[in-house]
Amino acid sequence: MAFTRRSIEVEGLKDLNEALESFSKATAGNILKRAVGTAGAVFAEHAIAIAPKDTGQLKREIKVAKPKIITPGKAAYAQAMRETGDKAEAAAAARAANRSAGGTGRSAVTHVGPTKRAGQGMLQEFGTAHHKAQPFMRPTFDSQDQNLVGIIRDTLAEEIDKATKRAERKAARLAAKIASGTS
């Protein structure tokens, strides 16, 4: 039995999404990645706190992967590969998804959990024939899912505000430079 992937979808944040769309793709992507990374770190802290401690290896190996941006095309490609295993069909699905999205629909993802070095992570979470399960990831998700949504929302708002202020400062510097004739 493998770890199951759990996802949190944050919807209903129309104002924040509109604000994100006012930035370049790179800036918006960085804002999304910071928000997901912040939530991932909170999740990891909680999982570490409740993970069973035998040698301490498991607690040391619960990490947050570097957040990355997923476009609708990447998601469609992955879905098609899971369903059909045909690369040509998956590529066609990716192109179609990107075309229909028209440059929107990007999301940020990260992985939080034990690294491969902590081989006992899955055994602790699900148990074995000789060892009772001592779950730590699922209880973390169950207790933190709404908290994580709030963290993502708050971090997005904070990062959008910071990016807006940076853009305003940059525009003011450029305007001053143009006004002084040193462009």
Side-chain angles (χ1 to χ4, degrees):
M1 180 181 274
F3 282 111
T4 57
R5 293 183 185 265
R6 295 293 309 233
S7 298
I8 298 175
E9 272 192 43
V10 181
E11 294 181 355
L13 304 175
K14 188 176 182 178
D15 294 339
L16 293 175
N17 189 44
E18 288 173 2
L20 269 178
E21 289 175 359
S22 70
F23 296 107
S24 69
K25 281 185 180 181
T27 300
N30 288 333
I31 290 170
L32 284 171
K33 289 190 286 189
R34 282 192 290 275
V36 169
T38 300
V42 170
F43 185 94
E45 285 176 20
H46 193 272
I48 290 166
I50 67 170
K53 181 183 178 191
D54 180 20
T55 64
Q57 174 76 11
L58 178 60
K59 287 181 178 273
R60 285 190 302 275
E61 291 300 324
I62 296 175
K63 305 287 183 191
V64 180
K66 183 178 175 183
K68 54 186 171 178
I69 296 297
I70 302 295
T71 62
K74 285 181 184 177
Y77 183 90
Q79 180 68 29
M81 285 299 290
R82 281 192 296 272
E83 291 174 359
T84 66
D86 182 12
K87 287 185 179 181
E89 283 185 35
R95 283 190 299 277
N98 280 334
R99 270 190 224 110
S100 68
T104 62
R106 296 166 30 134
S107 58
V109 297
T110 190
H111 169 80
V112 180
T115 64
K116 290 180 181 178
R117 286 185 295 226
Q120 79 272 20
M122 187 167 41
L123 303 176
Q124 291 291 342
E125 183 76 15
F126 298 108
T128 67
H130 307 289
H131 174 73
K132 186 177 100 178
Q134 295 178 297
F136 57 98
M137 294 299 288
R138 178 60 188 250
T140 297
F141 184 83
D142 291 343
S143 68
Q144 295 295 310
D145 63 343
Q146 291 306 309
N147 182 37
L148 296 174
V149 171
I151 290 169
I152 290 170
R153 181 194 61 239
D154 295 345
T155 305
L156 279 173
E158 181 180 317
E159 292 295 329
I160 287 169
D161 186 50
K162 286 180 186 177
T164 302
K165 288 179 181 175
R166 278 193 303 273
E168 288 170 354
R169 286 192 306 269
K170 184 177 178 180
R173 283 192 307 271
L174 183 59
K177 191 174 184 181
I178 291 171
S180 69
T182 59
S183 53

